[in-house]
Amino acid sequence: MKLLRVFFAVSILAFATQALAEFKFVITRGYDKPTSIAVVPFCWNGTEVLPEQIASIVGSDFSRTGQFSSLAPENMLSQPCDNNDVYFRDWKLLKQDYLIIGQISQLPGTNNYEVIYRLYDVFREQNIQSAKVTGSKEQLRDLAHAIADSAYEKITGIRGVFSTKIAYVTLNKESDKSIYRLEVADADGYRAKTLYQSNGSIISVSWSSDAKKLAFTNFEPNGKTRIKIVDRFTRKVETLPAYPGINSGASFSPDGKTIAFVNSQTGNPDIYLMDLESKKITRITKHWSIDTEPSWSPDGKKLLFTSERGGRPQIYQVTLDTRAVERLTFEGIYNARAQYSSDGKYVVMVHQDGGPFHVAALDLATRQLRILTETDLDESPSMAPNGTMLVYATQNKGRGVLAWASVDGQLASIMPAVNGHVREPAWSPFIR
């Protein structure tokens, strides 16, 4: 059971004693020549003070990618609200590539707000996108992320992930008791909510494909592990059947009907599938070594898993209809916690080659492995649904933090928690 203990030890490193409030991004490595964008403060036609500054949120979303640099409002020569007030010479003088302006108004007789925004290509002097979004006062932050997603896709051709969520685990010490909490927040760390709490460790968090539920492993006081599923909206928790031995590492299939998980009822941990409706299980791997940490391919036809069947922890792939197993990693003495990219072209994982643990990406076509992170004791990488970014857990100045990295290796940013340590991040699918 040596390998399994190593995996669990990495997953339940010490947490701090205060709950996470929000994240503050610090970009530690960025693109050499980021695209410049000016997001002008949106004009508000009302008299009350709005609880959210939409333009500030949009600008922050762009800045966090590392691909863009957002111009501070105090450095703007003008702050237009309407198309007729845009003078491209001002923005060319400031060397801006793109410009976003907008107006906010309250819809008559309702509690809803309407936001009209425009995106401009400054060099071409063209309005390349105009759109309108509506929502309640409580949804202003959602509207801001939706605007950033739409503008980002227009500029880059890649769907934005600013409206997605990130789940993670925190720990509080209360009256000498450990309180673990499963939290879900916006992708920028705001509006964190607790979905589940326990005196036992919470690890291996996994999203359902519709982003409505999360599966996780929970350690009970007797030391046994149980797989649980929590509804993100109702917070209702379902505890899955406990089979003999270890039950851990649940991962939702792309269609949401099945989970892959680890069970040791035959003595050694192997990979199983469970039909979530009938609760019937099917054994997938059968080997004398430990097989653990299953993760689905985007088409649902294959699973990645970690095994020491070659002598050290390495990444393997099993084709479900044939049960054919293929070893994917050969470089390094330790590779684990693997996950496919959204297009299935590469795999990200925790990698070690005699030094610190880092996050790496393996190109499945060329089999070239690229190190993506430079921090220490990196773990639990989770891909963004557009395949361009990943979130992972690491250490910064002696405490656990979350961090972002781009899959091309050009961006790294630390998201230190305002209070405490965090672990086990999981990036949600796209949210409708």
Side-chain angles (χ1 to χ4, degrees):
M1 299 299 290
K2 178 181 179 182
L3 178 63
L4 192 63
R5 286 198 297 269
V6 170
F7 291 157
F8 279 174
V10 171
S11 298
I12 58 174
L13 292 174
F15 291 82
T17 59
Q18 295 182 353
L20 180 69
E22 62 184 46
F23 300 122
K24 181 180 179 182
F25 285 74
V26 179
I27 295 179
T28 59
R29 184 176 72 247
Y31 291 78
D32 292 335
K33 295 182 179 180
T35 300
S36 57
I37 187 168
V39 185
V40 178
F42 286 14
C43 296
W44 160 230
N45 298 324
T47 57
E48 64 176 315
V49 177
L50 293 178
E52 303 288 356
Q53 297 298 316
I54 290 181
S56 177
I57 297 169
V58 173
S60 178
D61 282 346
F62 273 94
S63 295
R64 284 200 321 279
T65 68
Q67 299 169 271
F68 292 85
S69 60
S70 182
L71 182 67
E74 59 266 26
N75 295 328
M76 297 176 182
L77 298 179
S78 60
Q79 295 188 357
C81 298
D82 188 77
N83 184 65
N84 295 328
D85 298 326
V86 174
Y87 297 98
F88 289 104
R89 66 177 181 271
D90 291 348
W91 305 104
K92 287 182 178 180
L93 183 64
L94 294 171
K95 299 181 179 180
Q96 297 302 296
D97 297 306
Y98 293 94
L99 168 69
I100 295 178
I101 67 171
Q103 298 183 55
I104 309 169
S105 58
Q106 187 170 0
L107 295 175
T110 74
N111 293 320
N112 287 335
Y113 294 78
E114 177 183 86
V115 183
I116 299 174
Y117 70 94
R118 293 178 173 86
L119 168 66
Y120 298 88
D121 183 319
V122 174
F123 179 76
R124 293 162 54 194
E125 299 189 3
Q126 290 183 0
N127 177 198
I128 59 175
Q129 185 182 60
S130 297
K132 175 172 59 180
V133 293
T134 60
S136 66
K137 183 185 294 186
E138 292 73 25
Q139 293 174 315
L140 289 177
R141 196 167 195 91
D142 297 307
L143 300 185
H145 291 318
I147 291 169
D149 282 334
S150 182
Y152 178 85
E153 184 172 7
K154 182 65 177 179
I155 295 171
T156 67
I158 301 170
R159 187 174 178 180
V161 293
F162 308 119
S163 296
T164 57
K165 304 287 185 180
I166 292 179
Y168 49 86
V169 178
T170 65
L171 172 67
N172 288 331
K173 290 288 188 179
E174 300 176 3
S175 301
D176 296 325
K177 292 184 179 181
S178 297
I179 307 296
Y180 293 84
R181 291 184 172 91
L182 174 61
E183 309 266 349
V184 169
D186 291 356
D188 60 0
Y190 284 82
R191 299 191 297 187
K193 295 181 179 179
T194 299
L195 298 188
Y196 179 79
Q197 71 177 44
S198 170
N199 295 121
S201 299
I202 300 171
I203 63 171
S204 303
V205 180
S206 170
W207 287 85
S208 62
S209 58
D210 60 6
K212 294 181 179 179
K213 296 181 179 181
L214 295 100
F216 58 95
T217 301
N218 192 194
F219 284 75
E220 297 187 329
N222 58 12
K224 294 185 178 181
T225 56
R226 297 295 298 270
I227 296 172
K228 299 181 180 181
I229 296 176
V230 60
D231 187 291
R232 182 165 68 91
F233 300 101
T234 66
R235 306 187 190 186
K236 181 180 179 180
V237 177
E238 176 188 7
T239 300
L240 298 185
Y243 297 97
I246 295 168
N247 295 276
S248 68
S251 176
F252 281 100
S253 63
D255 64 8
K257 297 179 180 180
T258 307
I259 62 164
F261 72 107
V262 178
N263 179 259
S264 61
Q265 61 183 275
T266 61
N268 245 20
D270 280 299
I271 308 299
Y272 289 77
L273 299 184
M274 179 190 294
D275 181 284
L276 287 174
E277 182 176 356
S278 67
K279 301 301 188 290
K280 178 182 177 180
I281 65 172
T282 304
R283 188 176 181 180
I284 300 300
T285 65
K286 186 177 182 180
H287 199 273
W288 55 264
S289 68
I290 294 172
D291 297 337
T292 187
E293 301 176 341
S295 179
W296 292 82
S297 63
D299 60 8
K301 296 180 179 180
K302 298 178 180 180
L303 287 172
L304 294 174
F305 64 97
T306 308
S307 178
E308 64 176 1
R309 59 180 65 192
R312 293 182 180 273
Q314 297 292 341
I315 305 302
Y316 292 78
Q317 177 178 262
V318 58
T319 302
L320 294 178
D321 59 355
T322 65
R323 301 293 197 271
V325 174
E326 176 188 9
R327 179 173 170 175
L328 297 184
T329 56
F330 293 88
E331 184 177 342
I333 61 174
Y334 179 98
N335 290 289
R337 293 297 290 262
Q339 184 182 38
Y340 291 96
S341 62
S342 56
D343 59 10
K345 294 182 178 180
Y346 53 89
V347 170
V348 296
M349 70 200 77
V350 177
H351 169 81
Q352 185 195 32
D353 194 12
F357 290 91
H358 290 308
V359 176
L362 176 70
D363 187 305
L364 292 178
T366 65
R367 296 305 167 98
Q368 291 184 334
L369 188 137
R370 183 175 68 252
I371 306 298
L372 303 180
T373 63
E374 299 175 349
T375 40
D376 293 329
L377 202 59
D378 303 335
E379 61 180 32
S380 307
S382 180
M383 292 289 300
N386 66 1
T388 65
M389 303 285 297
L390 59 90
V391 64
Y392 64 100
T394 187
Q395 293 282 312
N396 183 37
K397 297 180 181 180
R399 64 175 186 164
V401 299
L402 300 186
W404 266 13
S406 60
V407 175
D408 60 16
Q410 295 193 62
L411 170 72
S413 62
I414 298 293
M415 306 186 292
V418 173
N419 295 308
H421 295 217
V422 290
R423 281 290 184 270
E424 298 292 322
W427 208 319
S428 80
F430 288 115
I431 296 176
R432 296 179 181 177

